[in-house]
Amino acid sequence: MKRFLTVDDIGDLGQALKEAAEVKKTPYAWDTLGKNKTITLIFFNSSLRTRLSTQKAAMNLGMNVIVLDVNKDGWQLETEFGVVMDGDKPEHLREAVPVIGRYCDIIGVRSFASFEDKKADYEEEILNQFINFAGVPIISMESATRHPLQAFADLFTIEEFKNKERPKVVLTWAPHPRALPQAVPNSFVEWMKVADVDLVVTHPKGYELSPEFTDGVTVEYDQKKAFEDADFIYAKNWASYEQYGQLLSQDKSWTVDEEKMSLTNDARFMHCLPVRRNMIVTDGVIDSENSIVIDEAANRVVSAQVVIKRMLEALK
Ligand SMILES: CCC[C@H](NC(C)=O)C(=O)O
Ligand SMILES: NC(=O)OP(=O)(O)O
């Protein structure tokens, strides 16, 4: 495994879910696999869960871990090609990436969408500089268009909590005071499309995700109708794709509340976190027994450990 970005990179989903269950059951069974191997985790953006869970996963495998906050440590990095570097950025990604690659065996990188250049974001220009120039396997810890470690953990959590063979899973947009990336919903749709679930996506008009993810997916503009008989409700905010990066609505009639949850089949509530309480979801719902957001976050160690384990096995 040279990169982990899309659902295709994990291979057979059934096998990956079985491996995740094994890793969760015996997390230290491969604690020498990473001996004398180093993973560098590079953050262009903030993180709690990804930062801690990916470190934990690597340590479970016996690895050394280096964490770099690009905007605090190191030098401000220029990411544009062909520019005259006479500004405030003393180093180009083109040099920094292969240098970092010489200090470690695997790199994880978080670099959110810029919302300045839709084409550059959706061509994953920054992540591809790591994939093309680092010389070591690359794990996306949320890129401009995807968050695969999150989606893998989300699917594993649904597998753990489902009480029917093919549950109805609803991805619902919810209001937020800022314009958030499309990476989490994109990956959620990408993984649910190939999983054994009935997926429905619900959002206000103008919040359609990129067709490369939602082609063939049921989109319901009536949120209450979408919630009917659902087994899992996955809430997330995202900015408009069509009016790229725009915050078109903060309509709180889309907040997930107890009344809407009552329309479901006693559904579990999920969110990748961090969550804005009483914007995305009411306190009553996220504090209820139906909320599995903490178990979902705990499973981020599992998804990261499966991916890192496979990369280490490929380095043998
Ligand atoms: C895992 C979520 C990370 C990020 N969230 C924020 C608040 O920026 C997002 O919405 O993509
Ligand atoms: N869900 C998730 O990736 O959380 P962080 O942004 O805190 O890493």
Side-chain angles (χ1 to χ4, degrees), residues 46-51 110 142 147 150 272-274 300:
S46 305
S47 169
L48 175 85
R49 278 144 292 272
T50 305
R51 176 188 299 269
R110 164 167 284 197
E142 186 173 342
H147 193 355
Q150 184 64 53
C272 63
L273 307 181
R300 288 292 307 278

Side-chain angles (χ1 to χ4, degrees), residues 43 45-54 110 112 141-142 147 149-150 154 184 234 236 271-274 296-297 300:
F43 292 91
N45 308 91
S46 305
S47 169
L48 175 85
R49 278 144 292 272
T50 305
R51 176 188 299 269
L52 298 182
S53 61
T54 311
R110 164 167 284 197
F112 288 173
M141 299 194 295
E142 186 173 342
H147 193 355
L149 288 173
Q150 184 64 53
D154 293 336
V184 168
Y234 191 93
K236 186 69 183 75
H271 188 283
C272 63
L273 307 181
E296 181 186 354
R300 288 292 307 278

Side-chain angles (χ1 to χ4, degrees), residues 95-253:
E95 280 71 50
V97 168
V99 166
I100 295 165
R102 295 298 185 94
Y103 300 148
C104 61
D105 303 282
I106 299 173
I107 294 176
V109 55
R110 164 167 284 197
S111 179
F112 288 173
S114 66
F115 281 157
E116 287 155 17
D117 182 338
K118 183 176 188 176
K119 183 171 179 293
D121 282 346
Y122 272 74
E123 287 180 356
E124 291 286 8
E125 277 188 2
I126 290 185
L127 188 75
N128 281 324
Q129 289 191 50
F130 282 85
I131 292 168
N132 296 332
F133 303 132
V136 296
I138 300 298
I139 301 173
S140 165
M141 299 194 295
E142 186 173 342
S143 67
T145 66
R146 288 175 169 89
H147 193 355
L149 288 173
Q150 184 64 53
F152 185 7
D154 293 336
L155 177 57
F156 180 63
T157 306
I158 289 169
E159 285 296 307
E160 281 189 316
F161 282 89
K162 72 181 186 181
N163 54 23
K164 64 173 67 168
E165 198 48 44
R166 190 175 171 86
K168 178 179 176 181
V169 174
V170 176
L171 166 65
T172 181
W173 180 94
H176 192 284
R178 287 180 44 220
L180 297 186
Q182 290 124 23
V184 168
N186 284 348
S187 278
F188 189 77
V189 170
E190 183 180 70
W191 285 65
M192 292 304 136
K193 274 171 75 173
V194 293
D196 194 9
V197 306
D198 287 329
L199 175 66
V200 175
V201 176
T202 185
H203 55 68
K205 287 198 187 306
Y207 278 101
E208 290 76 8
L209 293 166
S210 166
E212 73 179 277
F213 293 98
T214 55
D215 271 353
V217 171
T218 303
V219 176
E220 172 57 67
Y221 292 106
D222 180 336
Q223 188 187 35
K224 289 184 177 177
K225 189 172 175 195
F227 273 45
E228 287 171 6
D229 300 323
D231 300 294
F232 292 88
I233 298 294
Y234 191 93
K236 186 69 183 75
N237 173 268
W238 63 87
S240 174
Y241 170 76
E242 279 308 316
Q243 297 182 57
Y244 195 56
Q246 295 304 303
L247 194 164
L248 307 177
S249 163
Q250 290 190 56
D251 180 357
K252 291 193 66 187
S253 72

